[in-house]
Amino acid sequence: MQKMEQQPQQQNQLTVQNSGSLSFSSQMSKEDEEMSRSALSTFRAKEEEIEKKKMEVREKVQAQLGRVEEETKRLAMIREELEALADPMRKEVAVVRKKIDTVNKELKPLGHTVQKKEKEYKDALEAFNDKNKEKVQLITKLMEFEQLVSESERLRLKKLEELSKNIDSMH
């Protein structure tokens, strides 16, 4: 009897396919629920790690932008000093300054792109989390339906046995 109970549990296990979709025969076991919780916890930990790394990258970008701006100001001061001295190095400084201005102009759209991508990431993450919640709700609903179907089948079998006994008792 115990073996028969174990076999349906094994058949009812949740299976995770390579595509990431979930399928199951009838009902998740407690082990499968724990595995699902563990996978969700791992996913959340990885999302937190990604968010942390993203913040580190953002801080590095901001630090680089700040350094570039500081260097631009510093070079502007040096340029002014050089112009005041009428130094022959003035042309080289002007070339370097133009290059810095060019790089600075290129950095601004990149900063905007980073912010845009972060917003897209947050939107995608929110959509993903919403779908994941919906999936969990659907799995829960399916498990409830499976329990109702099992109970209905049990009652039908009981009724059929009673009818069979009634027929047998007529003979």
Side-chain angles (χ1 to χ4, degrees):
M1 181 77 175
Q2 209 173 18
K3 235 181 190 180
M4 290 177 69
E5 289 175 6
Q6 288 176 348
Q7 286 177 347
Q9 283 181 348
Q10 290 173 352
Q11 292 173 353
N12 297 339
Q13 288 182 347
L14 174 67
T15 56
V16 179
Q17 300 171 342
N18 286 338
S19 67
S21 65
L22 299 175
S23 65
F24 47 89
S25 309
S26 62
Q27 194 173 30
M28 290 175 51
S29 71
K30 288 183 181 180
E31 288 179 72
D32 291 333
E33 289 177 12
E34 186 60 35
M35 288 173 54
S36 294
R37 285 188 197 108
S38 176
L40 184 58
S41 175
T42 301
F43 173 76
R44 286 185 181 141
K46 287 186 180 187
E47 286 300 320
E48 289 173 7
E49 182 181 335
I50 288 169
E51 189 66 31
K52 181 181 174 185
K53 290 201 184 275
K54 194 170 70 170
M55 292 301 293
E56 290 173 4
V57 169
R58 183 183 302 141
E59 290 171 6
K60 287 179 184 179
V61 167
Q62 291 299 326
Q64 287 289 356
L65 288 172
R67 279 188 230 126
V68 168
E69 289 177 6
E70 289 174 16
E71 288 298 320
T72 301
K73 290 175 185 176
R74 196 175 124 245
L75 285 173
M77 288 175 28
I78 291 171
R79 179 178 165 211
E80 290 174 12
E81 290 175 11
L82 286 174
E83 286 176 357
L85 296 173
D87 193 327
M89 295 291 290
R90 190 169 92 195
K91 287 184 182 180
E92 282 89 5
V93 171
V95 169
V96 171
R97 171 122 171 84
K98 282 185 181 182
K99 286 182 182 179
I100 290 172
D101 288 342
T102 302
V103 169
N104 201 21
K105 287 177 185 176
E106 292 171 357
L107 280 175
K108 283 186 180 184
L110 291 174
H112 292 298
T113 301
V114 166
Q115 291 174 348
K116 181 180 175 185
K117 295 293 181 183
E118 286 175 351
K119 184 183 182 324
E120 289 174 2
Y121 169 78
K122 286 179 183 177
D123 292 346
L125 180 61
E126 184 178 335
F128 174 82
N129 287 336
D130 289 346
K131 282 297 175 187
N132 205 24
K133 286 177 187 175
E134 182 181 351
K135 177 187 77 175
V136 168
Q137 290 172 346
L138 290 171
I139 288 171
T140 302
K141 191 173 188 176
L142 181 62
M143 290 171 56
E144 291 170 1
F145 283 145
E146 289 174 348
Q147 288 174 348
L148 291 174
V149 167
S150 293
E151 180 65 20
S152 173
E153 288 174 349
R154 188 184 64 75
L155 291 173
R156 286 173 46 206
L157 283 173
K158 185 177 178 182
K159 187 68 174 178
L160 283 171
E161 287 175 8
E162 288 175 13
L163 290 174
S164 178
K165 286 179 184 178
N166 284 342
I167 291 172
D168 289 343
S169 68
M170 293 172 107
H171 289 126

